[in-house]
Every structure is written in structure tokens, then in C-alpha cells.
Amino acid sequence: LPQKDERGERTDDEDATFKIGLRSMSAVYASPRISVLQHKALPDTSLVPYDRSGWCTFEQAAASLSTTNGGAVYNISSGRVRLKPGKLKSAEEMHEWFHSSSVHFYGSADRDAVSEMYASLFKAVSAFDATRRRKEIRADRMLTHPSSKWRILWITNRLVVSLCIFVFLLPTIFIMNEERQDALQFLFP
């Protein structure tokens, strides 16, 4: 994302790109298909530690949402330490944290924006997780229900029979070269 230049400014195009990227960046961090690499070591000249920076705190919280659905977050500044899935902070807990004096934001509207983005992500991840659990339960029921085993066996049998028909019978019917026609005429005059 385009950062501000040495005068603390962005062009209008850079600002538009920054705002679009900022809205979608949180979804990238929270995606279970993305591995997030964090480099938390900051130079000694940094005014705010990583864990107290508002946007860094948000990125950490968003990335931790991904761990519930198979995503991975690694802290590479202290080796390759993988963040373990844990109890997710609710949108209300994170709202309080983002608005506490312990977290530093440079922009006045950032606290509300970050809080809203986290709440939206938390809702989406929770819905995805609930859907995934329902599908797992349905699959378990299908495999453990007494009549389901027979249904699966019957479907598998039908698939095998259909495959045999497709592999052995269709070529006989549709591929008719001269030699085959002669052989068929000999067998069936």
C-alpha cells in the first residue's frame, strides 16, 4: 500500500489506492488460505512498540481469526514461531482494546474504523466456521447412520457399473471401423 512521503502526503491516486487496499487487507490477514508472516522487531528509534501500535494490533487480531479455520501466522522476528489457535477475542473485547489508552493510533478516526473492520471479520469468520461445522456434522451423520452406509454402497456400485458400461460398451457401439464391421457381419449375418 502506498505510504505517505517525507512530507506526510500521498497523491489523490495513492490515497484512493490506499483506502481500497486498506479495506481488503483485513480480509487477506483473516483468510485461512494465507500464511501471515509477522516481523515484530522494530528499530530502536520506533516511538511505539509493535504490540501497542493500533494498526499492528489490528493486523495481529485479524490474522489470529484465520487460525480457527486452518490459517497460519508466523512471527519471524524470533525465529519461525507459529501462533497457536486460541480463544478468539469477541468484537466487543477488541472494541474496548482498540479504544483503550494502551493502543496508539495516529489518525483520530482509525480506532472506529479498525473496530468496525474487526467486528465485520469476526462475524464472517464465525459464520464460515459454523457452516463448516454443520457440513462436518452432516458428513459424520451420513457415514454413521445405519441406512447411510447402504446408500453409499449402492451409489458406489452404480458408479462402478456406469463406468464399466462407459469403458467397455460405448467403444463397441460407437467405434465402427471397417474391420469391426466385417467381424460383426460374420457374427451376425
Side-chain angles (χ1 to χ4, degrees):
L1 295 177
Q3 301 298 308
K4 292 181 179 178
D5 62 15
E6 59 277 350
R7 294 183 312 266
E9 298 174 357
R10 289 187 201 96
T11 66
D12 290 341
D13 287 342
E14 288 174 337
D15 200 43
T17 301
F18 182 82
K19 287 177 181 175
I20 290 169
L22 202 55
R23 283 194 303 265
S24 60
M25 200 62 170
S26 57
V28 171
Y29 284 121
S31 173
R33 295 188 175 128
I34 301 290
S35 289
V36 176
L37 302 177
Q38 295 176 324
H39 187 39
K40 292 184 174 187
L42 297 174
D44 293 336
T45 57
S46 178
L47 300 174
V48 180
Y50 184 93
D51 292 326
R52 297 290 180 215
S53 167
W55 282 101
C56 294
T57 302
F58 168 72
E59 292 163 359
Q60 168 72 30
S64 70
L65 290 173
S66 75
T67 62
T68 63
N69 294 309
V73 180
Y74 296 97
N75 178 358
I76 60 172
S77 52
S78 55
R80 188 176 166 199
V81 180
R82 184 174 182 161
L83 177 72
K84 293 184 176 140
K87 182 183 178 292
L88 297 179
K89 301 279 189 201
S90 71
E92 294 78 20
E93 289 172 305
M94 290 309 295
H95 178 81
E96 286 180 30
W97 177 249
F98 292 137
H99 285 81
S100 75
S101 60
S102 300
V103 179
H104 180 74
F105 286 96
Y106 290 102
S108 59
D110 288 350
R111 290 181 192 277
D112 290 331
V114 162
S115 184
E116 288 171 19
M117 281 193 288
Y118 183 83
S120 175
L121 282 172
F122 185 84
K123 183 178 177 182
V125 168
S126 297
F128 177 81
D129 194 38
T131 301
R132 190 191 66 181
R133 278 197 203 121
R134 279 195 302 273
K135 287 180 181 176
E136 288 173 357
I137 289 169
R138 237 181 275 134
D140 286 345
R141 282 186 192 147
M142 181 182 253
L143 293 174
T144 58
H145 192 275
S147 65
S148 295
K149 290 178 184 175
W150 292 110
R151 188 176 322 129
I152 292 171
L153 184 61
W154 183 83
I155 291 170
T156 305
N157 186 335
R158 294 295 116 212
L159 288 172
V160 169
V161 168
S162 299
L163 182 63
C164 289
I165 290 171
F166 181 76
V167 169
F168 297 111
L169 188 57
L170 285 180
T172 305
I173 294 171
F174 291 110
I175 301 174
M176 297 295 256
N177 59 26
E178 288 181 23
E179 291 175 7
R180 183 161 296 179
Q181 286 177 354
D182 290 345
L184 289 174
Q185 286 177 355
F186 175 76
L187 293 172
F188 306 103

